[in-house]
Amino acid sequence: MRRIGVIGAGLCDDRIYELAYTVGQMVAERGAILYCGGLGGVMEASAKGACSKGGLTVGIIPGVKASEANDYIKIPIVTGMGHARNVILVRSCEALIAISGSHGTLSEIALALKMWKPVIGLHTWKDIPEVHYVETAKDAVEKAFSLLP
Amino acid sequence: MRRIGVIGAGLCDDRIYELAYTVGQMVAERGAILYCGGLGGVMEASAKGACSKGGLTVGIIPGVKASEANDYIKIPIVTGMGHARNVILVRSCEALIAISGSHGTLSEIALALKMWKPVIGLHTWKDIPEVHYVETAKDAVEKAFSLLP
Amino acid sequence: MRRIGVIGAGLCDDRIYELAYTVGQMVAERGAILYCGGLGGVMEASAKGACSKGGLTVGIIPGVKASEANDYIKIPIVTGMGHARNVILVRSCEALIAISGSHGTLSEIALALKMWKPVIGLHTWKDIPEVHYVETAKDAVEKAFSLLP
Amino acid sequence: MRRIGVIGAGLCDDRIYELAYTVGQMVAERGAILYCGGLGGVMEASAKGACSKGGLTVGIIPGVKASEANDYIKIPIVTGMGHARNVILVRSCEALIAISGSHGTLSEIALALKMWKPVIGLHTWKDIPEVHYVETAKDAVEKAFSLLP
C-alpha cells in the first residue's frame, strides 16, 4: 500500500482542521496508509478523515506513551525521541502533504526535501523552492499521488 | 488494538522459523497488531504467520529504505537509525516475545525490562531475571496476553 | 563552558568557507565549545577555525564511523542516525549560527526555533521570522553570545 | 584521542562508586576521552575521576536539558531521545567498561557486542559470552586499552 504523510500544526483553526480532514478522507479513499505525527490539530484531523473512510492511520509520536496518540491513530509508533520522530515520519512516507504549521512543520518540509521526497504545500510555509503549492485538499491529494515514485 | 512485539534473530534455522511463524499466527488470531524489526529470520517468520491469519504487521526497520522490509510487513516504519530502532520497537509494544536471537535481541530484552514491559522468552537468552520463560508458541502467546497492562 | 553550534552546507565555496573559519576562530577565542555536524564544508571550516585558536570541537556525525568526521573534530559523536543527528546537534547548543546551507540547514534552523534556541543567520535561508540576520562573522558571533540564556 | 566509554548504574553503593572513580582516573591518565551517559552513580563517579586528572568527559544524556548532566561532564550531548542515547554512546566509543549496572547497562553491553566493540566487565552482568571479565579497575583499563582497534 502507498504511504502518504500529512504534516502540520498541532493546534489549528476550524478551516485548517476541515482541510486536513478532507485530505485524510481522500488519502484513505485512494487506498493509501496515512502517516502523521499522531498528536492534535492537523494530525488529528487528517487521521480522523482517513478513519471516516475506513483507512489505516499511523501516528509516529514524540513521547513515551501510546496514550499520547489522538483517538484516530490505529497504529501508534512510540518513539520517545521528541522532534527526532519528525525524521522517522518523513522517511517512512513516499510523499508528504504539509498543511499550515509552524517550525516543526518547516523542519519536516526541509527534511523531506533533503531526502528527495515530494512535498505538497497547502496554506503552509511559502516560497520554499521545490515545494509543490496547491490551493485545495483535492489538488493536494491528486498532486501527491501523481508524484509517487 | 493490542500491540505485541516479536523479537529475535535475523537469521534462523527451520525449527525457530516455524516457532516464530506459529507465534505470529496466534498473535493475529487474538486480534493484536504484530510489531517486529521488519527484516528476516524470526522477524519475517512472525510477520508471515500473522499475515496468514489476516493480521496487521508493523516492521520498524533500521535502514533508510522501505524496500528493506520483508514481504509480510504491511506497515513499514523507516527509521534510518540503525540499532536505535530497537528502542522504538520495544517502546511501541505492550508485551514482547523473544525467540532465539543474539546480541540485538538481548539489547531488546534489556530495553524492554528497563521500560517495565513484560518479556516472554522462548529458546532465547537464558537466566535473565524477570523474563517469563516458556517452551511453546502457544504458551508464549498466552503468557504475553495474560500480562498485558 | 558555553556551547555554540555552527550549521551549514557540507559543500561550499571559498568565500563561505572563509566566513565559517572566521566564525569558528571567534567562537573559540571567546572560550566556547564549537558544536557542528562533523562533516565537510561549513562544518569543517568552522571546526578548523576553532582548532586554530585552541578551541574544543564536537562533531555530531550522521554515519556509523568516527572516521567520517573531518580532521578538526576533537570529540566525535557517532550517532548512526542520519538526519536525526540534526536534532541532537541543535538540542546540545545554546545558540546556533547558520551559514549558507541547503535543506539540511533549513531543518536545523527550524528545529532550533522550535526549541526556542537563538539562531543567527549569515548568508543563509532568508526571511525566516525569528532568525537574527547579520552580515559579518564578527556580528554573528557577537549576536550569538549576546543571546545566550 | 582515544575514546573509552564507561557504562553502569545511575545509582550505586560506595564501593562501586570508588571503582568507577578509579577507572575514570586511569582512563584520563592514559590520555583518552571518557564517554558516559552523563547522569549519576557510575556515570558521575567515572567522570569525576577523569576530571580529577584533567581529562575530557563527554556525557550523552537522555533528556532534553544540559543541566541534567552531572557536574563533571565537560561536553554535554543533549539527545532528548531517552534510552536511544545508549546506542549513540556505544557507537561513539572504541571500547567500553561496564561496571555494575542493571537493565540499561545490559542493553549497552549487548549493543556494544552487536557492534563488535570490546566490552570489559567489572562486577556487572555475568556469563555473557565475549565480555572480558576482570576484577580490578586497573585490569579493566589495561584490558580496554589493549583491545583498542
Side-chain angles (χ1 to χ4, degrees), chain D residues 77-123:
Chain D
I77 305 297
V78 188
T79 68
M81 288 188 177
H83 304 306
R85 75 84 142 78
N86 296 6
V87 179
I88 302 171
L89 171 54
V90 167
R91 222 185 247 303
S92 297
C93 298
E94 295 174 292
L96 291 112
I97 300 172
I99 305 173
S100 181
S102 185
H103 294 121
T105 305
L106 179 58
S107 78
E108 290 167 322
I109 293 171
L111 287 163
L113 295 173
K114 176 81 179 177
M115 298 182 207
W116 307 97
K117 310 267 184 181
V119 178
I120 319 303
L122 191 55
H123 302 286

Side-chain angles (χ1 to χ4, degrees), chain C residues 1 3 33 35 56 58 60 63-66 74-81 84-85 87-89 91-92 117, chain D residues 1 3 33 35 56 58 60 63-64 66 74-81 84-85 87-89 91-92 117:
Chain C
M1 289 172 75
R3 304 183 307 279
I33 307 170
Y35 284 65
L56 270 179
V58 176
I60 301 180
V64 299
K65 293 192 173 179
K74 294 181 180 170
I75 318 273
I77 305 297
V78 188
T79 68
M81 288 189 177
R85 75 85 143 77
V87 179
I88 302 171
L89 171 54
R91 223 185 246 305
S92 296
K117 310 266 186 179
Chain D
M1 290 171 76
R3 305 182 307 280
I33 307 171
Y35 284 65
L56 269 180
V58 177
I60 301 180
V64 299
K74 293 180 181 170
I75 317 273
I77 305 297
V78 188
T79 68
M81 288 188 177
R85 75 84 142 78
V87 179
I88 302 171
L89 171 54
R91 222 185 247 303
S92 297
K117 310 267 184 181

Side-chain angles (χ1 to χ4, degrees), chain A residues 1 3 33 35 56 58 60 63-64 66 74-81 84-85 87-89 91-92 117, chain B residues 1 3 33 35 56 58 60 63-66 74-81 84-85 87-89 91-92 117:
Chain A
M1 290 172 74
R3 305 182 307 280
I33 307 171
Y35 284 66
L56 270 179
V58 176
I60 301 180
V64 299
K74 293 181 181 170
I75 318 273
I77 306 297
V78 188
T79 68
M81 288 188 178
R85 74 85 142 79
V87 179
I88 303 171
L89 171 54
R91 223 185 246 304
S92 296
K117 310 266 185 180
Chain B
M1 291 171 75
R3 304 182 307 279
I33 307 170
Y35 284 65
L56 269 180
V58 176
I60 301 180
V64 299
K65 291 192 174 180
K74 293 180 182 171
I75 318 274
I77 306 297
V78 188
T79 68
M81 288 188 178
R85 75 87 143 76
V87 180
I88 302 171
L89 171 53
R91 221 184 248 304
S92 297
K117 311 265 185 180

Side-chain angles (χ1 to χ4, degrees), chain B residues 24-117:
Chain B
Q25 286 188 311
M26 289 175 172
V27 166
E29 282 173 337
R30 282 169 172 264
I33 307 170
L34 184 135
Y35 284 65
C36 71
L39 303 182
V42 163
M43 299 173 257
E44 179 184 295
S46 62
K48 189 174 180 180
C51 283
S52 78
K53 297 295 182 183
L56 269 180
T57 55
V58 176
I60 301 180
I61 63 176
V64 299
K65 291 192 174 180
S67 57
E68 186 186 1
N70 69 59
D71 292 344
Y72 308 98
I73 296 302
K74 293 180 182 171
I75 318 274
I77 306 297
V78 188
T79 68
M81 288 188 178
H83 304 306
R85 75 87 143 76
N86 296 5
V87 180
I88 302 171
L89 171 53
V90 166
R91 221 184 248 304
S92 297
C93 297
E94 295 175 293
L96 291 111
I97 301 171
I99 305 172
S100 182
S102 185
H103 295 121
T105 305
L106 179 58
S107 78
E108 291 167 323
I109 292 171
L111 288 163
L113 295 173
K114 175 81 180 176
M115 298 182 207
W116 306 97
K117 311 265 185 180

Side-chain angles (χ1 to χ4, degrees), chain A residues 58-71:
Chain A
V58 176
I60 301 180
I61 63 176
V64 299
K65 293 194 173 178
S67 58
E68 185 185 1
N70 70 58
D71 292 344

Side-chain angles (χ1 to χ4, degrees), chain C residues 8-27:
Chain C
L11 288 171
C12 66
D13 63 27
D14 288 357
R15 189 183 60 102
I16 293 294
Y17 196 94
E18 184 67 26
L19 206 53
Y21 181 87
T22 307
V23 165
Q25 286 188 310
M26 290 175 173
V27 166

